[in-house]
Tab-separated table of all heavy atoms in Angstrom:
chain	number	residue	atom	x	y	z
A	39	LYS	N	14.185	10.020	15.319
A	39	LYS	CA	13.959	9.330	16.591
A	39	LYS	C	12.714	8.492	16.489
A	39	LYS	O	12.593	7.385	17.200
A	39	LYS	CB	13.786	10.351	17.727
A	39	LYS	CG	15.112	11.122	18.015
A	39	LYS	CD	14.977	12.059	19.134
A	39	LYS	CE	16.251	12.884	19.252
A	39	LYS	NZ	16.001	13.963	20.223
A	43	LYS	N	4.343	4.628	11.079
A	43	LYS	CA	3.819	3.252	11.290
A	43	LYS	C	3.611	2.712	9.902
A	43	LYS	O	2.859	3.222	9.134
A	43	LYS	CB	2.706	3.167	12.126
A	43	LYS	CG	2.882	3.516	13.620
A	43	LYS	CD	1.782	3.174	14.480
A	43	LYS	CE	1.931	3.652	15.964
A	43	LYS	NZ	3.215	3.954	16.393
A	45	ASP	N	3.293	-1.076	7.441
A	45	ASP	CA	3.237	-2.625	7.419
A	45	ASP	C	4.331	-2.944	6.306
A	45	ASP	O	4.878	-2.073	5.600
A	45	ASP	CB	1.879	-3.063	6.825
A	45	ASP	CG	0.732	-2.729	7.779
A	45	ASP	OD1	0.905	-2.850	9.005
A	45	ASP	OD2	-0.324	-2.343	7.268
A	49	ASN	N	4.755	1.012	0.738
A	49	ASN	CA	5.751	1.929	0.196
A	49	ASN	C	5.548	3.345	0.747
A	49	ASN	O	4.456	3.724	0.754
A	49	ASN	CB	5.599	1.897	-1.270
A	49	ASN	CG	5.970	0.476	-1.882
A	49	ASN	OD1	6.872	-0.180	-1.593
A	49	ASN	ND2	4.945	0.094	-2.791
A	60	ASP	N	12.825	28.213	4.236
A	60	ASP	CA	11.881	28.194	3.108
A	60	ASP	C	10.403	28.166	3.553
A	60	ASP	O	9.620	28.821	2.979
A	60	ASP	CB	12.133	26.812	2.471
A	60	ASP	CG	13.394	26.773	1.665
A	60	ASP	OD1	13.887	27.853	1.305
A	60	ASP	OD2	13.934	25.543	1.418
A	69	ALA	N	11.114	6.370	0.175
A	69	ALA	CA	11.871	5.707	1.318
A	69	ALA	C	12.496	4.461	0.711
A	69	ALA	O	11.692	3.656	0.201
A	69	ALA	CB	10.969	5.505	2.380
A	78	ASP	N	25.222	1.576	16.998
A	78	ASP	CA	26.408	1.088	16.255
A	78	ASP	C	26.052	0.575	14.938
A	78	ASP	O	26.712	0.779	13.954
A	78	ASP	CB	27.125	0.088	17.131
A	78	ASP	CG	27.837	0.615	18.324
A	78	ASP	OD1	28.059	1.893	18.312
A	78	ASP	OD2	28.084	-0.036	19.317
A	82	HIS	N	27.150	2.092	11.231
A	82	HIS	CA	27.683	1.195	10.271
A	82	HIS	C	27.062	1.231	8.916
A	82	HIS	O	27.595	1.460	7.916
A	82	HIS	CB	27.860	-0.207	10.794
A	82	HIS	CG	28.509	-1.160	9.859
A	82	HIS	ND1	29.758	-1.221	9.483
A	82	HIS	CD2	27.861	-2.147	9.103
A	82	HIS	CE1	29.982	-2.116	8.523
A	82	HIS	NE2	28.722	-2.809	8.283
A	98	ASN	N	24.725	12.379	20.636
A	98	ASN	CA	23.907	13.435	21.460
A	98	ASN	C	22.435	13.366	21.008
A	98	ASN	O	21.472	13.390	21.726
A	98	ASN	CB	24.490	14.771	21.256
A	98	ASN	CG	23.882	15.903	22.211
A	98	ASN	OD1	23.618	15.415	23.274
A	98	ASN	ND2	23.707	17.067	21.735
A	117	TYR	N	10.252	19.944	-6.330
A	117	TYR	CA	9.166	20.550	-7.015
A	117	TYR	C	9.465	21.857	-7.727
A	117	TYR	O	10.325	22.706	-7.125
A	117	TYR	CB	7.917	20.787	-6.021
A	117	TYR	CG	7.316	19.730	-5.429
A	117	TYR	CD1	6.538	19.867	-4.272
A	117	TYR	CD2	7.482	18.402	-5.947
A	117	TYR	CE1	5.867	18.770	-3.675
A	117	TYR	CE2	6.902	17.312	-5.266
A	117	TYR	CZ	6.117	17.479	-4.130
A	117	TYR	OH	5.501	16.393	-3.501
A	123	LEU	N	3.973	28.208	2.907
A	123	LEU	CA	3.214	28.098	4.063
A	123	LEU	C	1.862	28.877	3.951
A	123	LEU	O	0.829	28.431	4.386
A	123	LEU	CB	3.990	28.561	5.320
A	123	LEU	CG	3.251	28.462	6.700
A	123	LEU	CD1	2.812	27.010	6.993
A	123	LEU	CD2	4.194	28.886	7.806
A	129	ASN	N	-5.541	27.349	2.394
A	129	ASN	CA	-6.335	26.178	2.072
A	129	ASN	C	-6.814	25.395	3.274
A	129	ASN	O	-7.790	24.664	3.133
A	129	ASN	CB	-5.630	25.250	1.038
A	129	ASN	CG	-5.609	25.973	-0.379
A	129	ASN	OD1	-6.582	25.821	-1.059
A	129	ASN	ND2	-4.544	26.640	-0.743
A	139	PHE	N	6.498	14.456	11.728
A	139	PHE	CA	5.780	14.241	10.495
A	139	PHE	C	4.289	14.093	10.722
A	139	PHE	O	3.954	13.921	11.896
A	139	PHE	CB	6.351	12.899	9.843
A	139	PHE	CG	6.133	11.639	10.629
A	139	PHE	CD1	4.879	10.976	10.515
A	139	PHE	CD2	7.053	11.231	11.527
A	139	PHE	CE1	4.653	9.927	11.247
A	139	PHE	CE2	6.822	10.058	12.300
A	139	PHE	CZ	5.533	9.393	12.214
A	143	ASN	N	-3.344	11.983	3.949
A	143	ASN	CA	-4.377	11.076	3.377
A	143	ASN	C	-4.830	11.445	1.979
A	143	ASN	O	-4.663	12.611	1.613
A	143	ASN	CB	-5.517	11.157	4.400
A	143	ASN	CG	-5.181	10.639	5.738
A	143	ASN	OD1	-4.657	9.584	5.874
A	143	ASN	ND2	-5.603	11.440	6.683
A	160	ILE	N	3.608	19.955	-15.249
A	160	ILE	CA	3.485	19.258	-16.501
A	160	ILE	C	2.976	20.166	-17.599
A	160	ILE	O	3.339	20.033	-18.681
A	160	ILE	CB	2.409	18.125	-16.247
A	160	ILE	CG1	3.053	17.122	-15.263
A	160	ILE	CG2	1.997	17.421	-17.483
A	160	ILE	CD1	2.100	16.119	-14.662
Side-chain angles (χ1 to χ4, degrees):
K39 292 179 184 173
K43 294 191 184 338
D45 294 324
N49 294 314
D60 291 335
D78 290 339
H82 174 73
N98 194 39
Y117 296 161
L123 181 58
N129 286 277
F139 65 86
N143 296 311
I160 293 167

